[in-house]
Amino acid sequence: MSHSVLKSPLGWLAGNPIWGFIALIFIFFSFANPYFFALQNFQNILVQTSTIGVIALGMTLVMINGNIDLSVGAVVALAASLCVDIQGWSLFADWGNWAILPGVVAALLAGTALGALNGLIVWKTGVDAFIVTLGAMLGVRGLVFVYTKEQSFFAMNFSFSDFGSSSIGPIPTLAALFLICTAIVHFVLSRTVHGRNTYAVGGNRSAAVNAGIRVGPHMMINFMIVGFLAALAGVTLSSQMGAATPNLGTNYELWVITSVVLGGTKLKGGAGTITGTLGGVLAIGILRNGMNLMQVPAFYVLVILGSILIAVLLLDKQLNRKGKEELRL
Amino acid sequence: MAHSGLKSFAGLMARQGILVAFVLFLIAFSVFSDRFLSAENIFSVVRSSAIIGVMALGVTVVVIGGNLDLSVGSMLSFSTVLVVDLHDKIGPGPAIVVTVLATLCLGAINGLLVGVARLNSLIVTLGMLSAIQGLTLIYSGGKNVDIVHQDTTWFKIFGRGYIADIPVPIVIFAICAIVLHVVMAYTPFGRRIYATGGNPTAAVFSGIRRSRVVFATYLISALTVAIAAIVLGSRVMGSQNNVGQGYELQVLAGVILGGTSLLGGSGTIWKSVIGVLILGFIQNGLLLLGFEYYVQWLVTWVVIILAVWLDIAAKRGRLLSPIA
Amino acid sequence: EKIKIGITQNNVGVDSYQTTYEKAFKAAAAADPNVDVVVLDAGGDVARQIAQIQDLTQQKVQAIIIWPTNGKAVVPAVRKAHEAGIPVVITNSNIAKEGMPYIAAFSGPNNIEQGKEAADMMCKALNNKGDIVQIAGKPGYTTAIEREKGFEDELAKACPEVKIMDTQPGDWNREKSQRVMEDFLVKYPKIDGVYAADDNMGVGALNAAKAAGRAKDIKFIGATNFAVGYEAMAKGEYYGSVYQSPVDDAENALKTAIDVVEGKKVPKMNYFKTPEITQENMKQFTKPVF
Amino acid sequence: MSASHIPQPDTPALRLEGIVKTFPGVRALDDVGFDVRAGEVHALLGENGAGKSTLMKVLAGMYEPDEGSIYIEGEAVTMRSPLEAKARGVVLIHQELSLAEEMSVAENIYLGELPRKSLGRVDWKTLHSNAQAILDRLKCGFDSKRQVGTLSIANQQMVEIARALTVEAKVVVFDEPTASLTDAEKVVLFDIINDLKARGAGIVYISHRMDEIFTLADRISVLRDGGYRGTLIKSETNEDEVIQLMIGRALDLTRRRAAAKTGKVALQVEGLSCGKLFEDVSFELREGEVLGFYGLVGAGRTEIAETLFGLRKPSAGRILIDGTEVEISSPADAIKKGISLVPESRKEQGLVLGMNCRDNITLPQVGDLTKGPFVSDGAEIAIFDRYYEALKIKTPSWRQAVGNLSGGNQQKIVIGKWLAMNPRILIVDEPTRGIDVGSKSEIHDLIRTLAGEGYAVIVISSEMPEVMHVSDRIVAMFHGRIMRSFTTEEVTEDNLVAAISGIETDKVA
Ligand SMILES: Nc1ncnc2c1ncn2[C@@H]1O[C@H](COP(=O)(O)OP(=O)(O)OP(=O)(O)O)[C@@H](O)[C@H]1O
Ligand SMILES: Nc1ncnc2c1ncn2[C@@H]1O[C@H](COP(=O)(O)OP(=O)(O)OP(=O)(O)O)[C@@H](O)[C@H]1O
Ligand SMILES: [Mg+2]
Ligand SMILES: [Mg+2]
């Protein structure tokens, strides 16, 4: 990702085919459905993608590191449950709207702590992140059920859910939050030392170790970031709903990983960008929204989403072929 | 003396860590529940692990070859719905044949996309997971399917029969495990899979046709799914469209517990069998001890990490990773 | 001018009941020349359901029918639709009582009541004495929670000497339920009855008991009578269930919504009948199509 | 450790004492100790697997020694991590490239210590100006903003070297830095080393090339089988003595080889091109002949070999084997037609590192080593044993994972693997990269012997003495074209250099 080399627009598109794809489906749905091209619908799309999107930002860091976090869906459920339950505790009964605060703080802390735990295990044991977080995906979901005893929570205080549907000017608050997070993570990844080390650790771990980068703590920080962002997504999601259920976030890890990969991040690590991830998230959001508006039957939605996923991968492969002289491996 | 005993134990752990863990685990549970080690219970657990177990064998082959297969769960739903639905329409024999062929076709699509087009296997099989789920629903119209004359069809032997007092699912599981173990450990084909998973470039430079090898691993995985579907269909005598939902992760957990590296190139079939059985016994043991079902998830979390950790710690000769 | 009604369902395709519901709903809408429907499915995901409620609001439908994925979690979304001036009809399983002020009506079966009916059947089947196990639905889902609660409360009241030894989820999945039952059979040498939160799971339990040769000693009681349950009842292997027609459910919901839009007066709790069905009275019911 | 410690002017920059390091089944280092003075180039020599790299990894904090102590400027230190080693002024330039390919040259050079601004931002300006300064000092012709993955192997090696210049190092270790450098780059590297030396750094220089060692070194220490064998002063010794110490016997490097008895044409290439990689390449290769390909790195020799092995699709031209035109569509196909290729990069292309030695050697022919449907253990072990002995591969057993062997022994496994195929046409690409002098001359002898037995052999090498020593004819390449071909009688160092620099042309190849 040589930040200095100026690329032609076409070259840029070849490197980020996802934005071309977005343009395509955008035009398609605009013509195919009368309700698609409307300001309010765009707001909806942004709000709806913000949940997956916020997590995907953190996941991009972790995946550029060459790791992965499968536990994010469960963390969403845990954070949402904590956030909604704690703000209803009688302890905070006379705090008014401030009662929301301890809930949010507890949720974010829990997410960050679980991220730290994942990171610590990956660092200290040397077990592959896929395995560590696959375990955590089950385990954290177990924690959610232990905590909630299978119950759903629901926020008595409607200002919590009002926040979820409020707007700052024309932009819904949750969408704004998502865009701000995107800008921050983009800055961190492309401009800061931590961000550049993220590429180094993922690109060649032993090189990073030899260069004296403290790879363990570094990876742990990224796991904490994704944990924090997953918890944040849990908070925003629960404020959208004004409620939390223990099953919340099921399969989110799959959608998050899918969007990140669609956005061009390599599963092996070492390469990827936040702009790409934003594209991946939007692509899935627009597809889902468009198909909803067009009333594509649920069964076909599954087939279409699956096929598109594979098609984008194929397209990417075609665009990035090195030509006929390539080694036939 | 104690020291050398400790050393040889460490050596044993390094080689057969998972087996040692398994035995310790069985002993621990049997202390708390006298029913745990009864023949009845063991048969029951192994029988109900057989479906996930058979699929885990196929997925082990794919993972050794350097790829992942997350589509096995929804493929299982598809194949089970198909075999059950066709059973009453065209008879058990043809239903089995059609199901095996159809499942192999799905495997072939995976194989073409990953092996020949060289797309990333995680994403391809994730996409297939979704697409096959949709396909199943479209095929069945979203309805459950059932076999009407459950007691008279010979189809029941796969899930409900016994051979010399051993439940047929266990026999099928054992046969599949032995066959695949022999293939992987003792044939040139198996060797090529290990090489391809270990270093695909070097494999091509050694004259191995990488595309074919990867393609074949997905066919094997699909075949195991088809076998699992027949057992499942016969066991339940009906199927839901989502019967295999989430199985891919349980299968993968079993494979990982068996010490197969997700990086490809290493792993053993029989250890995956143990991995799956451990998961089955955890579930069963905790239930016998009267724990809430979600406690089982917490325990699985700890067991997966501990088992894999001990496995690699024994291999590298130190407990903690050397990464600073 | 046609009436436009949107529906977001829980999880079509997860079982035949919901699939049949959707078909019946579409058929009923097609039969009425004055209505246009937007049919969506949340795939069991609360968050997606809420997104769909937003999308439906965006399309300015005149009423939204919601089959809640979770009775508590959708309350705020329902409130918002209500505030946007779109009447909401809840179908199949009700939302939490905090949401009641925001809905126009509920149409569906009474799941708590169904749990009670099953408990009463169990008392009768066991002559008020015995040890039973319960196989619940998928953890965290309202229908599962309500049936479990209705069953447990009533059992404790009606026949306290029938003891629930164990409860495990069967995830609405016959094979999972079969596995759970296999473990129960090993764990408990004496089981007198099984309550399963639907017939699909009930038949799974029956399969396991038959394989262990213990089906004769156990009374099986389910809910949402499925074809397999009906057949097992006919064979005398299955004690009873609760009859619930997805067609009635769907038609009732659509009719309620139309009435609401047209400004007719509708009862807030619009339950349709879900009678007990047992080996004795099954002749009075047609075999379920799902 | 003591605060009152005052460095003595004559304390060595580095002293190692009684270092012991064992791996399962291998005693890689056994009581090794020597010292390196400030301002000295200290060469470290030894056969493949003698323990040189292991010793240096101990020094750089990558391995923890079982026993022994390390002193930097007389102060006892423990190196727990590369970070700590760097902080103490020890820099190691690795034998294997260790770069993050997706990142820029500058970021790689300053990996782990990117200059910072407020908010943890990278100070790009400082970074690039510093990096560019180092690149200029190394006379590298590429920009510091270039992505490392797009550089040639040689240039990547230069980036690796550039890293050593970012800190005021007290001890700099070069582990076979020239294995993939061209002569021009070598000259620059030697200048840099002399410069570092003049600034008072102690230099450890590991190489298998005697000429380099005798140009650069002040003293020479020798390891054998993990043990220390002594230190010689360059001015008081000679190559023979060093080799004697290293391999325990004398080696006759000047021996003239027998003239080749060539047979019929085995391989004929006419006007072969592959895009811009190489164009219009024609030559013929006879049975019993060794044809050398010499050229600068990037000249396109490897690509020709890959095309002949079915790994690239030619865009024009014909390939004839035994007079009949063939199309080679894959390596499997090439193997069937009797071609073997010992590839350039052993780690990426040659070996499955996690697999054991035996399975690696038999991999290309495992399909033929069967008894019934199963692989025959006996046949496999027989093949392994043959090459284990013939190539003197150093490994505790065939069960050892290839990744645990030393670099040179890994290379021997690759060579053994392809010799075991009994090819008609054997192509070896940089066959002795990283191989010790003893084994090197054995491999050269082996190549000659094979030719004598009627094999047709192509040797691609960037080492002039090597091509000149083993080849019957030499083809000189420049920018993807054959510039000239020489017979042994015609070739001199001068006209060969002229040809590969594109100065002298001769179209009759
Ligand atoms: N990680 C390891 N595990 C097991 N054995 C190892 C490991 N690393 C090195 N060895 C063994 O230690 C010995 C010394 O290896 P080392 O790499 O130091 O040799 P070297 O002198 O650098 O050889 P070369 O000239 O071929 O690079 C070899 O026998 C090698 O097989
Ligand atoms: N200056 C360069 N810029 C970009 N890529 C290069 C450059 N030089 C070489 N390469 C590529 O790097 C790879 C390995 O380079 P290497 O230096 O071994 O060249 P090579 O073509 O193998 O040389 P030779 O044919 O002389 O052996 C080759 O694929 C080559 O095309
Ligand atoms: Mg070395
Ligand atoms: Mg080359």
Side-chain angles (χ1 to χ4, degrees):
Chain A
M1 305 286 96
S2 45
H3 34 85
S4 59
V5 184
L6 274 176
K7 290 177 185 159
S8 69
L10 221 69
W12 183 81
L13 208 59
N16 301 273
I18 193 68
W19 286 99
F21 178 73
I22 288 178
L24 215 72
I25 53 176
F26 190 83
I27 294 169
F28 172 77
F29 283 126
S30 298
F31 282 102
N33 190 285
Y35 303 104
F36 181 80
F37 198 91
L39 180 65
Q40 207 202 333
N41 192 43
F42 299 156
Q43 290 172 343
N44 277 352
I45 293 177
L46 269 181
V47 172
Q48 287 162 17
T49 51
S50 69
T51 313
I52 296 283
V54 165
I55 311 172
L57 298 174
M59 188 70 88
T60 309
L61 296 186
V62 171
M63 285 174 64
I64 292 176
N65 254 178
N67 293 316
I68 202 161
D69 188 351
L70 298 175
S71 68
V72 288
V75 171
V76 166
L78 185 66
S81 300
L82 283 172
C83 177
V84 177
D85 182 41
I86 289 179
Q87 58 177 276
W89 284 2
S90 52
L91 184 62
F92 307 117
D94 44 3
W95 284 36
N97 283 349
W98 287 105
I100 296 170
L101 194 67
V104 173
V105 169
L108 296 180
L109 280 180
T112 316
L114 284 172
L117 180 64
N118 279 335
L120 192 70
I121 295 174
V122 170
W123 166 18
K124 287 295 178 189
T125 66
V127 177
D128 192 78
F130 194 97
I131 298 170
V132 171
T133 59
L134 178 70
M137 170 182 170
L138 292 172
V140 175
R141 186 68 68 181
L143 279 182
V144 176
F145 276 83
V146 169
Y147 179 77
T148 62
K149 303 189 184 63
E150 294 181 35
Q151 293 302 311
S152 304
F153 299 116
F154 137 80
M156 298 301 181
N157 185 349
F158 284 121
S159 47
F160 182 59
S161 58
D162 286 341
F163 174 79
S165 54
S166 63
S167 282
I168 304 171
I171 302 178
T173 311
L174 294 185
L177 194 64
F178 169 47
L179 294 177
I180 291 169
C181 289
T182 308
I184 294 175
V185 178
H186 177 71
F187 169 80
V188 167
L189 189 59
S190 60
R191 297 290 151 79
T192 67
V193 173
H194 177 81
R196 301 315 292 173
N197 285 350
T198 302
Y199 287 100
V201 168
N204 188 335
R205 188 175 293 188
S206 63
V209 171
N210 294 339
I213 295 175
R214 298 210 55 204
V215 169
H218 169 91
M219 294 192 311
M220 193 165 135
I221 287 172
N222 282 338
F223 273 108
M224 287 165 76
I225 292 176
V226 75
F228 174 86
L229 289 174
L232 183 63
V235 170
T236 59
L237 189 61
S238 64
S239 91
Q240 262 180 74
M241 309 191 314
T245 74
N247 287 317
L248 208 62
T250 312
N251 288 338
Y252 275 23
E253 54 284 343
L254 300 184
W255 289 112
V256 168
I257 292 166
T258 303
S259 355
V260 174
V261 173
L262 278 183
T265 297
K266 291 219 176 76
L267 278 160
K268 280 199 216 82
T273 56
I274 290 295
T275 44
T277 296
L278 180 64
V281 170
L282 284 180
I284 291 185
I286 293 175
L287 268 176
R288 274 197 181 286
N289 173 274
M291 288 197 285
N292 256 353
L293 292 181
M294 291 183 65
Q295 287 194 64
V296 178
F299 303 172
Y300 292 89
V301 170
L302 292 168
V303 178
I304 293 172
L305 274 177
S307 315
I308 282 182
L309 199 59
I310 294 168
V312 171
L313 225 55
L314 265 172
L315 183 77
D316 182 50
K317 192 96 183 175
Q318 284 303 315
L319 286 175
N320 287 314
R321 273 224 319 217
K322 299 210 181 68
K324 283 193 184 131
E325 293 150 13
E326 203 178 356
L327 264 182
R328 293 194 282 204
L329 281 176
Chain B
M1 262 294 80
H3 184 68
S4 83
L6 211 65
K7 247 206 171 132
S8 62
F9 179 72
L12 185 66
M13 277 299 293
R15 273 170 286 120
Q16 315 294 2
I18 186 73
L19 199 60
V20 176
F22 183 49
V23 171
L24 289 180
F25 183 78
L26 289 186
I27 294 171
F29 266 124
S30 59
V31 170
F32 293 106
S33 167
D34 50 348
R35 297 203 150 245
F36 187 67
L37 280 188
S38 66
E40 184 195 5
N41 191 44
I42 290 175
F43 269 161
S44 163
V45 173
V46 179
R47 182 176 55 193
S48 56
S49 302
I51 289 161
I52 284 183
V54 169
M55 294 200 290
L57 302 174
V59 171
T60 306
V61 174
V62 172
V63 174
I64 291 174
N67 296 297
L68 279 176
D69 191 349
L70 295 180
S71 67
V72 289
S74 64
M75 214 188 274
L76 179 71
S77 305
F78 172 82
S79 311
T80 314
V81 165
L82 196 62
V83 76
V84 169
D85 183 59
L86 291 181
H87 179 280
D88 286 0
K89 290 183 181 157
I90 59 177
I96 289 174
V97 173
V98 172
T99 301
V100 170
L101 290 179
T103 314
L104 285 178
C105 284
L106 293 177
I109 296 176
N110 277 334
L112 281 176
L113 290 168
V114 178
V116 180
R118 298 284 156 75
L119 302 183
N120 181 287
S121 66
L122 178 77
I123 304 297
V124 165
T125 56
L126 213 57
M128 287 293 280
L129 180 152
S130 169
I132 297 174
Q133 206 179 339
L135 205 66
T136 312
L137 288 166
I138 292 169
Y139 174 83
S140 69
K143 294 202 172 180
N144 296 359
V145 289
D146 286 293
I147 290 172
V148 175
H149 302 293
Q150 309 190 355
D151 300 322
T152 50
T153 170
W154 58 264
F155 184 68
K156 70 176 180 219
I157 56 169
F158 300 110
R160 301 180 170 187
Y162 289 84
I163 294 176
D165 284 345
I166 301 173
V168 173
I170 299 182
V171 175
I172 291 177
F173 184 21
I175 292 174
C176 290
I178 291 168
V179 168
L180 279 179
H181 183 76
V182 167
V183 166
M184 291 304 286
Y186 302 112
T187 68
F189 174 63
R191 185 72 60 78
R192 291 190 187 115
I193 295 176
Y194 277 101
T196 306
N199 183 347
T201 307
V204 173
F205 270 82
S206 304
I208 292 172
R209 298 180 192 274
R210 175 183 165 193
S211 305
R212 289 189 201 176
V213 170
V214 173
F215 184 79
T217 62
Y218 279 101
L219 283 189
I220 290 175
S221 161
L223 184 63
T224 58
V225 171
I227 293 170
I230 291 164
V231 173
L232 177 58
S234 158
R235 200 169 123 75
V236 179
M237 286 291 164
S239 179
Q240 281 159 276
N241 296 295
N242 64 342
V243 65
Q245 205 170 50
Y247 276 30
E248 57 280 346
L249 293 176
Q250 293 190 47
V251 165
L252 204 56
V255 172
I256 288 168
L257 267 181
T260 298
S261 158
L262 290 178
L263 300 175
S266 73
T268 323
I269 292 286
W270 71 264
K271 284 188 182 173
S272 288
V273 173
I274 308 276
V276 169
L277 290 183
I278 287 184
L279 289 178
F281 276 105
I282 288 179
Q283 209 168 349
N284 167 268
L286 291 176
L287 197 147
L288 290 190
L289 295 182
F291 283 99
E292 295 278 9
Y293 60 93
Y294 38 74
V295 173
Q296 163 201 324
W297 299 343
L298 290 169
V299 173
T300 311
W301 185 15
V302 176
V303 168
I304 285 185
I305 289 173
L306 277 186
V308 180
W309 181 13
L310 288 182
D311 191 38
I312 66 173
K315 272 185 197 127
R316 73 176 162 227
R318 56 192 283 184
L319 196 58
L320 293 183
S321 129
I323 297 181
Chain C
E1 186 69 359
K2 283 188 171 185
I3 300 176
K4 193 163 171 194
I5 294 172
I7 179 170
T8 153
Q9 302 167 94
N10 174 12
N11 196 356
V12 182
V14 74
D15 57 47
S16 294
Y17 185 90
Q18 302 201 32
T19 312
T20 314
Y21 179 104
E22 180 176 82
K23 279 221 177 95
F25 186 87
K26 283 183 178 162
D32 188 336
N34 290 325
V35 287
D36 225 0
V37 289
V38 181
V39 181
L40 300 175
D41 169 32
D45 180 353
V46 189
R48 201 189 306 168
Q49 183 155 56
I50 285 163
Q52 288 176 342
I53 297 174
Q54 288 170 2
D55 288 344
L56 289 173
T57 314
Q58 154 75 11
Q59 292 185 43
K60 302 196 172 60
V61 294
Q62 283 155 283
I64 299 178
I65 304 176
I66 300 172
W67 180 335
T69 43
N70 184 293
K72 277 189 180 168
V74 294
V75 171
V78 167
R79 173 174 160 264
K80 257 169 238 156
H82 172 76
E83 283 172 357
I86 300 178
V88 174
V89 173
I90 302 293
T91 181
N92 188 275
S93 62
N94 206 349
I95 61 169
K97 64 174 186 305
E98 292 85 350
M100 293 310 282
Y102 311 113
I103 67 171
F106 168 77
S107 147
N110 188 335
N111 280 310
I112 299 216
E113 197 56 43
Q114 288 194 6
K116 281 187 185 160
E117 289 174 48
D120 291 338
M121 268 189 276
M122 188 62 84
C123 294
K124 203 164 132 216
L126 299 182
N127 282 325
N128 296 331
K129 194 167 160 43
D131 297 317
I132 64 167
V133 292
Q134 177 177 218
I135 298 176
K138 199 171 175 83
Y141 287 96
T142 308
T143 313
I145 295 168
E146 286 185 351
R147 285 187 187 163
E148 187 175 337
K149 183 170 165 32
F151 181 78
E152 286 176 359
D153 290 354
E154 176 70 9
L155 201 67
K157 230 188 296 161
C159 49
E161 278 184 60
V162 175
K163 289 265 168 335
I164 302 176
M165 298 183 289
D166 218 328
T167 301
Q168 287 282 333
D171 295 355
W172 308 126
N173 181 327
R174 202 188 301 173
E175 199 252 343
K176 173 85 193 288
S177 150
Q178 197 163 330
R179 270 194 279 159
V180 168
M181 188 65 191
E182 280 167 357
D183 288 342
F184 280 156
L185 287 165
V186 172
K187 186 173 176 187
Y188 302 107
K190 175 174 167 288
I191 299 176
D192 301 315
V194 176
Y195 170 57
D198 76 10
D199 274 5
N200 205 18
M201 297 191 291
V203 170
L206 174 65
N207 280 343
K210 270 160 74 178
R214 287 168 60 181
K216 294 258 167 342
D217 314 328
I218 304 175
K219 299 279 185 275
F220 294 88
I221 291 171
T224 318
N225 192 224
F226 281 55
V228 276
Y230 190 90
E231 281 158 13
M233 237 178 266
K235 274 192 252 171
E237 295 167 341
Y238 204 72
Y239 184 85
S241 182
V242 175
Y243 195 83
Q244 178 181 329
S245 158
V247 180
D248 293 350
D249 199 357
E251 288 172 353
N252 206 35
L254 184 64
K255 183 166 177 304
T256 309
I258 294 173
D259 288 350
V260 167
V261 174
E262 287 174 347
K264 290 187 194 148
K265 230 173 127 73
V266 288
K268 188 116 185 184
M269 301 307 287
N270 204 351
Y271 293 124
F272 68 90
K273 281 214 174 60
T274 55
E276 294 175 11
I277 169 170
T278 58
Q279 287 171 24
E280 282 103 60
N281 72 355
M282 62 184 293
K283 295 269 149 43
Q284 303 161 16
F285 299 91
T286 51
K287 182 174 152 187
V289 294
F290 56 94
Chain D
M1 291 285 156
S2 65
S4 62
H5 171 83
I6 303 152
Q8 303 296 304
D10 55 344
T11 40
L14 165 73
R15 194 149 66 84
L16 297 166
E17 255 180 34
I19 305 276
V20 176
K21 174 75 193 171
T22 50
F23 295 110
V26 189
R27 202 168 172 84
L29 294 172
D30 189 3
D31 191 19
V32 175
F34 61 89
D35 58 33
V36 178
R37 297 185 196 121
E40 141 181 90
V41 176
H42 195 116
L44 189 58
L45 248 78
E47 288 177 284
N48 294 129
K52 306 178 294 292
S53 298
T54 306
L55 182 63
M56 292 305 121
K57 286 179 182 167
V58 166
L59 175 61
M62 294 165 66
Y63 288 151
E64 203 175 328
D66 303 343
E67 284 168 41
S69 11
I70 303 171
Y71 301 87
I72 303 286
E73 291 181 339
E75 188 181 347
V77 293
T78 49
M79 305 284 196
R80 278 184 232 94
S81 67
L83 191 65
E84 210 171 328
K86 214 169 178 181
R88 299 191 188 282
V90 176
V91 178
L92 168 62
I93 289 138
H94 291 269
Q95 180 171 13
E96 315 290 344
L97 284 173
S98 164
L99 299 164
E101 298 203 343
E102 299 274 344
M103 302 179 80
S104 67
V105 169
E107 285 173 296
N108 268 284
I109 294 177
Y110 281 95
L111 205 64
E113 45 199 6
L114 297 173
R116 286 166 192 266
K117 286 195 293 193
S118 59
L119 286 174
R121 280 176 301 162
V122 177
D123 184 351
W124 294 112
K125 237 193 198 146
T126 316
L127 173 67
H128 283 295
S129 68
N130 288 353
Q132 198 59 51
I134 293 179
L135 291 179
D136 292 344
R137 200 169 138 202
L138 284 168
K139 301 196 176 56
C140 293
F142 49 85
D143 194 83
S144 71
K145 292 178 180 168
R146 178 93 173 256
Q147 193 184 327
V148 162
T150 66
L151 293 174
S152 68
I153 304 294
N155 285 337
Q156 293 187 9
Q157 183 73 44
M158 293 306 277
V159 173
E160 187 88 47
I161 291 167
R163 282 180 175 171
L165 307 180
T166 60
V167 286
E168 273 307 316
K170 291 174 186 148
V171 178
V172 186
V173 182
F174 292 89
D175 196 350
E176 300 193 36
T178 54
S180 49
L181 291 190
T182 60
D183 290 335
E185 286 157 327
K186 262 185 229 171
V187 171
V188 179
L189 174 66
F190 290 176
D191 283 348
I192 292 292
I193 291 176
N194 284 322
D195 183 34
L196 285 170
K197 179 175 155 179
R199 293 180 186 208
I203 311 238
V204 181
Y205 189 87
I206 302 176
S207 176
H208 291 297
R209 296 184 177 162
M210 287 297 162
D211 52 332
E212 291 174 7
I213 285 172
F214 276 84
T215 324
L216 272 177
D218 300 303
R219 292 192 298 160
I220 300 165
S221 286
V222 175
L223 293 185
R224 192 159 96 216
D225 292 334
Y228 171 69
R229 288 301 131 117
T231 300
L232 303 164
I233 296 169
K234 198 251 307 257
S235 51
E236 297 167 9
T237 185
N238 56 36
E239 279 195 27
D240 289 343
E241 195 185 355
V242 173
I243 290 171
Q244 177 81 35
L245 194 59
M246 200 175 118
I247 62 178
R249 64 190 159 86
L251 198 66
D252 184 9
L253 286 174
T254 54
R255 184 166 26 107
R256 275 219 62 83
R257 47 183 184 72
K261 284 197 263 328
T262 53
K264 63 179 171 50
V265 176
L267 172 72
Q268 196 174 350
V269 171
E270 290 177 3
L272 199 67
S273 303
C274 182
K276 290 257 171 290
L277 296 174
F278 57 85
E279 284 167 292
D280 194 22
V281 166
S282 306
F283 63 87
E284 57 178 47
L285 174 68
R286 291 173 179 276
E287 287 176 352
E289 180 187 42
V290 178
L291 178 62
F293 271 75
Y294 186 62
L296 294 177
V297 170
R301 302 159 300 168
T302 298
E303 286 76 4
I304 295 178
E306 286 166 348
T307 309
L308 292 175
F309 199 54
L311 282 157
R312 292 178 191 274
K313 197 176 163 64
S315 52
R318 308 200 300 158
I319 301 170
L320 295 88
I321 293 179
D322 292 331
T324 40
E325 184 171 349
V326 292
E327 195 195 324
I328 305 168
S329 60
S330 67
D333 201 15
I335 291 169
K336 252 189 238 137
K337 296 187 164 78
I339 304 175
S340 279
L341 170 68
V342 173
E344 188 173 31
S345 155
R346 58 177 172 258
K347 280 208 165 148
E348 276 86 56
Q349 305 165 336
L351 298 167
V352 182
L353 291 175
M355 230 179 203
N356 66 41
C357 298
R358 181 198 72 181
D359 293 0
N360 265 289
I361 283 199
T362 58
L363 191 56
Q365 53 178 322
V366 69
D368 298 326
L369 300 176
T370 48
K371 232 186 342 202
F374 304 119
V375 181
S376 154
D377 234 29
E380 282 198 291
I381 292 178
I383 289 186
F384 173 80
D385 283 345
R386 181 158 0 120
Y387 293 93
Y388 173 72
E389 276 152 33
L391 301 173
K392 302 200 175 60
I393 295 169
K394 202 158 154 191
T395 167
S397 96
W398 62 259
R399 289 188 182 81
Q400 182 78 310
V402 161
N404 290 342
L405 299 192
S406 79
N409 283 301
Q410 290 180 358
Q411 182 71 17
K412 290 182 185 178
I413 297 270
V414 186
I415 292 175
K417 162 172 155 181
W418 290 108
L419 290 184
M421 295 303 293
N422 287 319
R424 286 207 54 220
I425 300 167
L426 174 67
I427 309 172
V428 291
D429 194 353
E430 311 284 2
T432 58
R433 191 175 271 179
I435 293 223
D436 68 55
V437 274
S439 313
K440 194 171 189 168
S441 86
E442 280 156 23
I443 287 173
H444 290 167
D445 289 349
L446 191 77
I447 290 174
R448 293 305 317 169
T449 314
L450 290 173
E453 286 167 9
Y455 286 58
V457 186
I458 292 179
V459 176
I460 299 173
S461 173
S462 302
E463 271 183 71
M464 194 182 294
E466 178 164 271
V467 241
M468 292 180 62
H469 183 66
V470 298
S471 317
D472 296 307
R473 282 190 301 130
I474 297 173
V475 166
M477 288 198 65
F478 173 70
H479 273 326
R481 286 179 181 276
I482 292 185
M483 304 308 287
R484 195 181 152 174
S485 102
F486 303 86
T487 62
T488 359
E489 290 75 37
E490 296 164 355
V491 70
T492 64
E493 285 197 15
D494 291 340
N495 60 17
L496 199 50
V497 167
I500 61 157
S501 326
I503 298 167
E504 192 185 332
T505 31
D506 166 348
K507 275 277 147 196
V508 227

